[in-house]
Amino acid sequence: MNVPAEAQIDLGVVRDNVTGLRKHVGAAELMSVVKSDAYGHGMIPVAKAALAAGAGWLGVIRVEEALALREAGLTAPVLCLMSVPGGRHEEAIRHDVDLAAGSAGMVAELAAAAQRAGRPARVHLKVDTGMSRGGATMPDWPGVVAAALAEQAAGHLAIIGIWSHLACADMPGHPSIDAQARFDLVRCGGGTVGLPTLPGPMPGWLRPAMTVRARLVQVKQVPPGAGVSYGHRYVTSSQSTLGLVPLGYAEGVPRDASGLVQVYARGRRWFIAGTVSMNQFVVDFGAEPAQEGDEVLLFGPGDHGEPTAQDWADALGTITYEIAARFGGRLPRSYLGVT
């Protein structure tokens, strides 16, 4: 590692995850969702790895993301999962990007964009089956379908699919899962990059692809009773070796991680000591010697005893998606397993 901190992404792991996911979805096709820079892992490299492993579709949120995939030369089907009024729909249609519609108004907007583009829009109608977020409610659904069929008959759009969103997929046995169901295309989000949301240990065929690492940039000795960082929320109990890690809340480390989140260095885990600053935090190594340049693993797959993103999520009362996405685009990234 030639930089003080980085996020390392193993694309071989991404390919293995997609292979495992394909086996578990059975006869259904697999869409790898690479929105939000592939949950902080890098949209283009992860998309390429997922497609190489057999994902048939890619999913994004914004048209701009879909266009970036096309500019990178990816020709696989791409669905933009959220259409917004006034969005770049005409551009999306011209670049063979599928669009979503969950209201009669959006159907009309996409049809108008298709006429300007000179070709039909490929549209997936979204129905709200219990998420109460995007999509048409059951009372509104007949009107959406009627509007879409009329525009299809006029040659302005092609209805490619009907889709919904599971509200409690990470809660096995929840009655809403069977009620909402699944059919012939399964969208996998963080599973592509090995971010679990299910309770309990992660299945052996799924593995985190991201490791966030840094090096100590300063080491110092302080006496007992020394206050550490802003507000002196942490005070040393003995003569201590303090190591400075060049990452803070601007890079993705939550400010309230002090005393809750652990990192791995010198063969064991250590709690973050004191308030996390904008670009740095402190580790109290106690009587353990440390030196500038020592590696600190914030989280990874856990192979060496380092915390995982799940450990961080559990400590902070959130999910792995938020942990990984916090670091997305804020750190230099390196890649393993590039083919």
Side-chain angles (χ1 to χ4, degrees), residues 97-140:
V97 173
D98 290 19
L99 297 164
S103 69
M106 183 53 65
V107 168
E109 184 164 335
L110 297 184
Q115 292 174 73
R116 295 192 301 272
R119 59 194 301 184
R122 290 171 51 92
V123 176
H124 299 239
L125 302 179
K126 185 174 185 180
V127 56
D128 180 1
T129 59
M131 182 75 160
S132 297
R133 200 175 64 179
T137 62
M138 290 303 171
D140 290 340

Coordinates of all heavy atoms in Angstrom, one line a residue, residues 97-140:
V97 N -31.4 2.1 -22.2 CA -31.6 1.9 -20.7 C -33.1 1.7 -20.4 O -33.9 2.5 -20.8 CB -31.0 3.1 -20.0 CG1 -31.3 3.0 -18.5 CG2 -29.5 3.3 -20.2
D98 N -33.4 0.7 -19.6 CA -34.8 0.4 -19.2 C -35.1 1.4 -18.1 O -34.3 1.7 -17.2 CB -34.9 -1.0 -18.8 CG -34.8 -2.0 -19.9 OD1 -34.3 -1.7 -21.0 OD2 -35.3 -3.2 -19.7
L99 N -36.4 1.8 -18.1 CA -36.9 2.7 -17.1 C -38.0 2.2 -16.3 O -38.7 1.3 -16.8 CB -37.2 4.1 -17.8 CG -36.1 4.8 -18.5 CD1 -36.6 5.8 -19.4 CD2 -35.1 5.4 -17.4
A100 N -38.2 2.7 -15.1 CA -39.3 2.3 -14.2 C -40.4 3.3 -14.2 O -40.2 4.5 -14.2 CB -38.8 2.0 -12.8
A101 N -41.6 2.9 -14.0 CA -42.8 3.8 -13.9 C -43.7 3.2 -12.8 O -44.2 2.0 -12.9 CB -43.5 4.0 -15.2
G102 N -44.0 4.0 -11.8 CA -45.0 3.6 -10.8 C -46.2 4.4 -10.7 O -46.9 4.4 -9.7
S103 N -46.4 5.2 -11.7 CA -47.6 6.1 -11.7 C -48.0 6.3 -13.2 O -47.2 6.3 -14.1 CB -47.4 7.4 -11.0 OG -46.5 8.2 -11.8
A104 N -49.3 6.7 -13.4 CA -49.8 7.0 -14.7 C -49.0 8.3 -15.3 O -48.8 8.4 -16.5 CB -51.3 7.2 -14.7
G105 N -48.7 9.2 -14.4 CA -48.0 10.4 -14.8 C -46.6 10.1 -15.3 O -46.2 10.7 -16.3
M106 N -45.9 9.1 -14.7 CA -44.6 8.8 -15.1 C -44.7 8.0 -16.5 O -43.8 8.2 -17.3 CB -43.8 8.0 -14.1 CG -42.4 7.6 -14.5 SD -41.4 9.1 -15.0 CE -41.3 10.0 -13.4
V107 N -45.7 7.2 -16.6 CA -45.9 6.5 -17.9 C -46.0 7.5 -19.0 O -45.4 7.4 -20.1 CB -47.2 5.6 -17.8 CG1 -47.5 5.1 -19.3 CG2 -46.9 4.4 -16.9
A108 N -46.8 8.6 -18.8 CA -47.0 9.6 -19.8 C -45.7 10.3 -20.1 O -45.4 10.7 -21.2 CB -48.1 10.6 -19.3
E109 N -44.9 10.6 -19.0 CA -43.6 11.3 -19.2 C -42.6 10.5 -20.0 O -41.9 11.0 -20.9 CB -43.0 11.7 -17.8 CG -41.8 12.5 -18.0 CD -41.3 13.2 -16.7 OE1 -42.2 13.5 -15.8 OE2 -40.1 13.5 -16.6
L110 N -42.6 9.2 -19.7 CA -41.7 8.3 -20.5 C -42.1 8.2 -21.9 O -41.3 8.1 -22.8 CB -41.6 7.0 -19.8 CG -41.0 6.9 -18.4 CD1 -40.9 5.5 -17.8 CD2 -39.7 7.6 -18.3
A111 N -43.4 8.1 -22.1 CA -43.9 8.0 -23.5 C -43.6 9.3 -24.3 O -43.2 9.2 -25.5 CB -45.4 7.8 -23.5
A112 N -43.7 10.4 -23.6 CA -43.3 11.7 -24.3 C -41.8 11.7 -24.6 O -41.4 12.1 -25.7 CB -43.7 12.9 -23.4
A113 N -41.0 11.2 -23.7 CA -39.5 11.2 -23.9 C -39.2 10.2 -25.1 O -38.3 10.5 -25.9 CB -38.8 10.7 -22.7
A114 N -40.0 9.1 -25.2 CA -39.8 8.2 -26.2 C -40.1 8.8 -27.6 O -39.4 8.5 -28.6 CB -40.6 6.9 -26.0
Q115 N -41.1 9.6 -27.7 CA -41.4 10.3 -28.9 C -40.3 11.2 -29.4 O -40.0 11.3 -30.5 CB -42.8 11.0 -28.8 CG -44.0 10.0 -28.6 CD -45.2 10.8 -28.4 OE1 -45.8 11.4 -29.3 NE2 -45.7 10.7 -27.1
R116 N -39.7 11.9 -28.4 CA -38.6 12.8 -28.7 C -37.4 12.0 -29.1 O -36.6 12.4 -30.0 CB -38.3 13.7 -27.5 CG -39.4 14.7 -27.1 CD -38.8 15.7 -26.1 NE -38.3 15.1 -24.9 CZ -39.0 14.8 -23.8 NH1 -40.4 15.1 -23.8 NH2 -38.5 14.3 -22.8
A117 N -37.2 10.8 -28.5 CA -36.0 10.0 -28.9 C -36.2 9.2 -30.2 O -35.3 8.7 -30.8 CB -35.8 9.0 -27.7
G118 N -37.5 9.1 -30.6 CA -37.7 8.4 -31.9 C -37.7 6.9 -31.8 O -37.6 6.2 -32.8
R119 N -37.9 6.4 -30.6 CA -37.9 5.0 -30.4 C -38.7 4.7 -29.1 O -38.8 5.5 -28.2 CB -36.5 4.4 -30.3 CG -35.7 5.0 -29.2 CD -34.2 4.7 -29.3 NE -34.0 3.3 -29.3 CZ -32.7 2.7 -29.3 NH1 -31.7 3.6 -29.4 NH2 -32.5 1.5 -29.3
P120 N -39.3 3.5 -29.0 CA -40.1 3.2 -27.8 C -39.2 3.1 -26.6 O -38.1 2.7 -26.6 CB -40.7 1.8 -28.1 CG -40.6 1.7 -29.6 CD -39.4 2.4 -30.0
A121 N -39.8 3.5 -25.4 CA -39.1 3.3 -24.1 C -39.4 1.9 -23.6 O -40.5 1.4 -23.7 CB -39.6 4.3 -23.1
R122 N -38.3 1.3 -23.1 CA -38.5 0.0 -22.4 C -38.8 0.3 -21.0 O -38.0 0.8 -20.2 CB -37.2 -0.8 -22.5 CG -36.9 -1.3 -24.0 CD -35.5 -1.9 -24.0 NE -35.2 -2.9 -23.0 CZ -35.4 -4.2 -23.1 NH1 -35.9 -4.7 -24.3 NH2 -35.2 -5.1 -22.1
V123 N -40.0 -0.1 -20.6 CA -40.5 0.3 -19.3 C -40.9 -0.9 -18.4 O -41.5 -1.9 -18.9 CB -41.8 1.2 -19.4 CG1 -42.4 1.6 -18.1 CG2 -41.4 2.4 -20.2
H124 N -40.5 -0.8 -17.1 CA -40.9 -1.8 -16.1 C -41.9 -1.1 -15.2 O -41.5 -0.1 -14.5 CB -39.7 -2.3 -15.3 CG -38.6 -3.0 -16.2 ND1 -38.2 -4.3 -16.0 CD2 -37.9 -2.5 -17.3 CE1 -37.3 -4.6 -16.9 NE2 -37.1 -3.5 -17.7
L125 N -43.1 -1.7 -15.0 CA -44.1 -1.1 -14.2 C -43.9 -1.5 -12.7 O -43.8 -2.7 -12.5 CB -45.5 -1.5 -14.7 CG -45.8 -1.1 -16.1 CD1 -47.2 -1.6 -16.5 CD2 -45.7 0.4 -16.4
K126 N -43.8 -0.6 -11.8 CA -43.6 -0.9 -10.4 C -44.9 -0.9 -9.6 O -45.6 0.1 -9.6 CB -42.6 0.0 -9.8 CG -42.2 -0.4 -8.4 CD -41.1 0.5 -7.8 CE -40.7 -0.1 -6.4 NZ -39.6 0.7 -5.8
V127 N -45.1 -1.9 -8.9 CA -46.3 -2.0 -8.1 C -45.9 -2.1 -6.6 O -44.9 -2.8 -6.3 CB -47.2 -3.3 -8.5 CG1 -46.4 -4.6 -8.4 CG2 -48.4 -3.4 -7.6
D128 N -46.6 -1.4 -5.8 CA -46.3 -1.4 -4.3 C -47.1 -2.6 -3.7 O -48.3 -2.5 -3.6 CB -46.8 -0.1 -3.7 CG -46.5 0.0 -2.2 OD1 -46.0 -1.0 -1.7 OD2 -46.9 1.0 -1.6
T129 N -46.3 -3.6 -3.4 CA -47.0 -4.8 -2.8 C -46.8 -4.9 -1.3 O -47.0 -5.9 -0.7 CB -46.3 -6.1 -3.4 OG1 -44.9 -6.1 -3.2 CG2 -46.6 -6.2 -4.9
G130 N -46.4 -3.8 -0.7 CA -46.3 -3.8 0.8 C -45.1 -3.0 1.3 O -44.9 -2.9 2.5
M131 N -44.3 -2.5 0.5 CA -43.1 -1.7 0.9 C -43.6 -0.2 1.3 O -43.0 0.4 2.1 CB -42.1 -1.6 -0.2 CG -40.8 -0.8 0.2 SD -39.8 -1.7 1.3 CE -38.2 -0.9 1.0
S132 N -44.7 0.2 0.7 CA -45.2 1.6 0.9 C -44.1 2.6 0.7 O -44.0 3.6 1.4 CB -45.8 1.7 2.4 OG -46.8 0.8 2.5
R133 N -43.4 2.4 -0.4 CA -42.4 3.4 -0.8 C -42.7 3.8 -2.2 O -43.7 4.4 -2.5 CB -41.0 2.8 -0.6 CG -39.8 3.8 -0.5 CD -38.5 3.2 -0.2 NE -38.1 2.3 -1.3 CZ -36.9 1.6 -1.3 NH1 -36.1 1.8 -0.2 NH2 -36.5 0.8 -2.3
G134 N -41.8 3.4 -3.2 CA -42.2 3.6 -4.6 C -43.2 2.6 -5.2 O -43.4 1.6 -4.6
G135 N -43.7 3.0 -6.3 CA -44.6 2.0 -7.0 C -46.1 2.4 -6.8 O -46.4 3.2 -5.9
A136 N -46.9 1.9 -7.6 CA -48.4 2.2 -7.6 C -49.1 1.3 -6.5 O -48.8 0.1 -6.4 CB -49.0 1.9 -8.9
T137 N -49.9 2.0 -5.8 CA -50.7 1.2 -4.8 C -51.8 0.4 -5.5 O -52.0 0.6 -6.7 CB -51.5 2.2 -3.9 OG1 -52.3 3.0 -4.6 CG2 -50.5 3.1 -3.1
M138 N -52.4 -0.5 -4.8 CA -53.4 -1.4 -5.5 C -54.5 -0.6 -6.1 O -55.0 -0.9 -7.2 CB -53.8 -2.5 -4.5 CG -52.8 -3.5 -4.1 SD -52.2 -4.3 -5.6 CE -50.8 -5.2 -5.0
P139 N -55.1 0.4 -5.4 CA -56.1 1.2 -6.1 C -55.7 1.9 -7.3 O -56.4 2.1 -8.3 CB -56.6 2.2 -5.0 CG -56.2 1.5 -3.7 CD -54.9 0.8 -4.0
D140 N -54.4 2.3 -7.4 CA -53.9 3.0 -8.5 C -53.4 2.1 -9.6 O -53.2 2.6 -10.8 CB -52.8 4.0 -8.1 CG -53.2 5.1 -7.3 OD1 -54.4 5.4 -7.3 OD2 -52.4 5.7 -6.6

